[in-house]
Amino acid sequence: MAKLLRRPEFLVFLPALSLVAFWVGGEATMMMTSLGLPVLFILAGAFKSHERAEAGLPDALRGLAIRSQIVKFMDHTLENTAITGKSTACFVVLFDDSDVLLDRHGRAVQTEVLTRSAERLCAALREGDTVARLEGGGFAIALSPQRRVDLEGMLQVATRLQSALASPISIDAARLYVTCSIGFCLGAKAPMQTGGSLMDSAQIAADEALRNGPGAIRAFVLGMARNRADRDAFREELEIALDEGQVRPHFQPQICTDTGTISGFEALARWHHAERGLIPPSEFLPAIEDAGLSERLGEVMLYHALAALVRWDKAGLDVPNVSVNFSSAELRNPRLAEKLKWELDRFDLTPERQCVEILETVIAETDNDIIVRNISALAKLGCRIDLDDFGTGHASITNIRRFAIHRIKIDRSFVTHVDEDREQQKIVSGILSLAERMGLETLAEGVETKGEHAMLAQLGCGHVQGFLIARPMSFDDTQAWIVAQNASRSVLPKLASRAR
């Protein structure tokens, strides 16, 4: 009976019950039924909305506090600090790449991960500590009142919480690794001595940790709120720029050292700001990565790159391929190959026209199975794979073969003064010899002088790219440059005799 009284939907029968009461006992009985029955439902807790909302949650999540409850708990502790000498601290735990988990595995898996994580967090805490679930999938933790609440101790607590979540979670024969970033605020450091202020401060610190993650820990300090507001405003500006076409590629040509023919173009992002003019990539690319917009930028760059190929083809200009840099965030998308094939089909282009540039550091350091499978899938699709910034990331020969690399791009740090510096020549010669034995093409980046160009050609580098050839240019400028380059293909530049 108690369970029935906690279900307010049964009040739909109240009119019928009132009528039955009138027939059985008259007007007095009808009045008692009409007025008394709703009171019984209220007393039984039928109208507690948060209980109804929890009905579909697993037991581990249903037993947690909610935001208002943990704030009230911290309010009580802080109000009595002057009397008891005890304070508290608030932690906010946010999962790294939580949106990726949801997109790739679905709501049911996300809920299971949250359930297992809640169990682990509760097991890692002391009796009296309060754990609350937050909207969006995070957790808040308020420590039970204690006399010593200092930075060192709270860092240890945060590390213990991360360790509790470090073990893989097995779901349907799959092992998922989740990491979390944690922000916390000491009771004495909150801007105001209230539970709400303490909670908000911990949330700000957690957002800062998440931005610097994965697996970061940050303590709240004054000024974080202003910094977050500035970043949020800049992120919004970046999103608008991406949506409105302010961010678009400039194209830098790559030419063959033997013939001077154009072997391709690299698409490089540039921001055409309405008020500030052309913003260099060094100013906005780190902000795009920090804001989690790398995949969105990749979509924009890929679209414009493929559109450029189509327009060059229609103009009768021979551009074999266009290169686009793929970030780690894009390479972690399990549907990347499928997505790229759809884009190529959309523009009616064959896969070999698309060159995928991947940083050597990604190849050297990755242990992510999704990235490995994606690069392999792109190669099997027929896309050309370039290993960018070669010589800076310590990629092994095994990795180069494993990822089906088509061409290595020699980093500009080895190209500068290669015509003058014997040591540079030895390094480049070794790289070129390795590439030749492995059947790989080569391209040198950052070529700025005729001497460098000539030396690279003599050493056997197949292609060059840099300011000597041309600076990155807008698409509208590329057509005139292509015509001029094809008309002026000339003899290979003479080797300067300044080597020492």
Side-chain angles (χ1 to χ4, degrees):
M1 177 60 75
K3 289 183 178 180
L4 293 178
L5 291 174
R6 284 196 292 268
R7 300 182 62 180
E9 59 267 27
F10 283 106
L11 283 175
V12 71
F13 299 108
L14 183 58
L17 292 173
S18 299
L19 185 59
V20 170
F22 179 75
W23 286 342
V24 173
E27 186 175 348
T29 304
M30 181 189 71
M31 292 295 293
M32 290 178 61
T33 302
S34 300
L35 297 176
L37 199 56
V39 172
L40 289 176
F41 273 86
I42 292 172
L43 294 175
F47 299 100
K48 292 181 179 179
S49 59
H50 69 271
E51 289 183 3
R52 295 201 305 274
E54 289 183 345
L57 293 175
D59 291 341
L61 296 181
R62 194 183 307 156
L64 300 181
I66 59 175
R67 182 186 179 93
S68 60
Q69 293 171 329
I70 197 171
V71 167
K72 186 176 180 180
F73 172 84
M74 292 187 293
D75 272 333
H76 178 74
T77 301
L78 295 173
E79 287 170 1
N80 290 283
T81 295
I83 301 172
T84 63
K86 296 180 180 180
S87 187
T88 185
C90 182
F91 294 77
V92 170
V93 179
L94 300 178
F95 291 94
D96 302 311
D97 298 324
S98 60
D99 53 341
V100 175
L101 175 69
L102 177 60
D103 291 342
R104 295 178 184 174
H105 301 285
R107 181 73 63 183
V109 170
Q110 184 196 46
T111 301
E112 184 64 20
V113 168
L114 290 174
T115 301
R116 305 275 187 88
S117 299
E119 293 169 347
R120 293 179 180 183
L121 288 174
C122 291
L125 293 166
R126 302 171 308 167
E127 185 176 354
D129 297 336
T130 301
V131 181
R133 53 186 173 82
L134 301 175
E135 293 183 5
F139 297 98
I141 298 163
L143 299 186
S144 59
Q146 51 190 284
R147 293 190 180 279
R148 184 176 179 180
V149 181
D150 57 18
L151 181 61
E152 182 180 355
M154 297 308 102
L155 283 171
Q156 292 175 358
V157 172
T159 302
R160 188 166 74 245
L161 295 175
Q162 285 185 330
S163 298
L165 300 178
S167 300
I169 297 174
S170 298
I171 301 177
D172 296 333
R175 288 162 61 87
L176 298 179
Y177 287 87
V178 296
T179 60
C180 66
S181 294
I182 299 177
F184 66 89
C185 182
L186 310 182
K189 296 294 185 180
M192 294 183 290
Q193 291 298 290
T194 65
S197 178
L198 184 54
M199 179 77 178
D200 291 342
S201 299
Q203 181 72 59
I204 290 171
D207 291 340
E208 181 73 15
L210 193 64
R211 192 178 72 87
N212 289 277
I217 298 173
R218 291 292 184 274
F220 175 79
V221 294
L222 293 176
M224 270 189 179
R226 176 60 184 272
N227 293 339
R228 186 178 72 166
D230 292 343
R231 285 195 303 272
D232 288 347
F234 192 45
R235 177 193 170 94
E236 184 177 353
E237 190 175 6
L238 283 170
E239 289 178 336
I240 293 172
L242 290 168
D243 291 342
E244 294 185 353
Q246 296 177 28
V247 178
R248 50 186 182 270
H250 279 203
F251 297 91
Q252 187 171 37
Q254 303 161 342
I255 65 170
C256 176
T257 54
D258 288 338
T259 63
T261 55
I262 299 167
S263 50
F265 278 85
E266 180 180 1
L268 300 164
R270 296 294 185 268
W271 184 359
H272 296 259
H273 195 279
E275 297 176 356
R276 297 169 56 190
L278 189 63
I279 300 178
S282 58
E283 289 189 23
F284 72 89
L285 287 183
I288 280 184
E289 185 175 354
D290 288 346
L293 296 173
S294 295
E295 284 195 85
R296 176 68 181 121
L297 173 64
E299 292 172 356
V300 169
M301 295 297 291
L302 181 62
Y303 172 84
H304 285 293
L306 297 180
L309 279 173
V310 171
R311 293 174 67 183
W312 285 322
D313 289 349
K314 288 182 178 179
L317 301 173
D318 183 19
V319 177
N321 60 71
V322 64
S323 303
V324 176
N325 291 276
F326 277 51
S327 68
S328 296
E330 292 175 273
L331 292 170
R332 285 195 294 268
N333 183 347
R335 302 185 63 184
L336 177 62
E338 178 185 338
K339 176 181 174 182
L340 182 54
K341 185 179 186 308
W342 185 89
E343 290 287 354
L344 288 166
D345 291 343
R346 173 187 179 188
F347 285 95
D348 196 23
L349 293 169
T350 54
E352 66 269 13
R353 304 290 303 278
Q354 176 61 61
C355 183
V356 175
E357 291 199 10
I358 301 169
L359 289 173
E360 188 191 12
T361 50
V362 173
I363 297 290
E365 298 170 7
T366 186
D367 56 357
N368 188 306
D369 289 342
I370 295 177
I371 291 179
V372 174
R373 288 197 300 269
N374 272 337
I375 297 175
S376 177
L378 293 175
K380 289 179 181 177
L381 181 63
C383 295
R384 298 161 59 92
I385 308 295
D386 275 8
L387 187 56
D388 198 11
D389 293 347
F390 184 79
T392 63
H394 312 294
S396 67
I397 294 175
T398 302
N399 274 339
I400 293 175
R401 295 179 64 87
R402 174 189 184 195
F403 287 104
I405 302 301
H406 178 268
R407 181 171 65 178
I408 59 176
K409 297 184 70 175
I410 304 171
D411 186 69
R412 64 179 302 167
S413 62
F414 302 113
V415 172
T416 302
H417 301 304
V418 69
D419 57 323
E420 301 176 331
D421 191 331
R422 293 285 188 187
E423 293 303 316
Q424 291 283 70
Q425 292 170 23
K426 291 177 182 178
I427 294 173
V428 172
S429 180
I431 293 173
L432 295 173
S433 178
L434 171 67
E436 182 181 10
R437 290 178 179 277
M438 296 185 68
L440 303 176
E441 292 187 15
T442 52
L443 182 148
E445 299 180 283
V447 178
E448 297 187 357
T449 69
K450 291 182 179 180
E452 292 168 355
H453 184 186
M455 176 57 75
L456 289 165
Q458 179 172 310
L459 292 174
C461 184
H463 307 269
V464 290
Q465 172 183 348
F467 286 176
L468 174 68
I469 314 304
R471 291 178 177 271
M473 65 191 86
S474 67
F475 174 83
D476 292 338
D477 293 333
T478 60
Q479 300 193 48
W481 186 90
I482 293 170
V483 172
Q485 173 67 14
N486 289 337
S488 66
R489 277 192 339 227
S490 56
V491 195
L492 188 68
K494 301 296 183 184
L495 177 63
S497 57
R498 297 181 292 166
R500 60 178 188 280

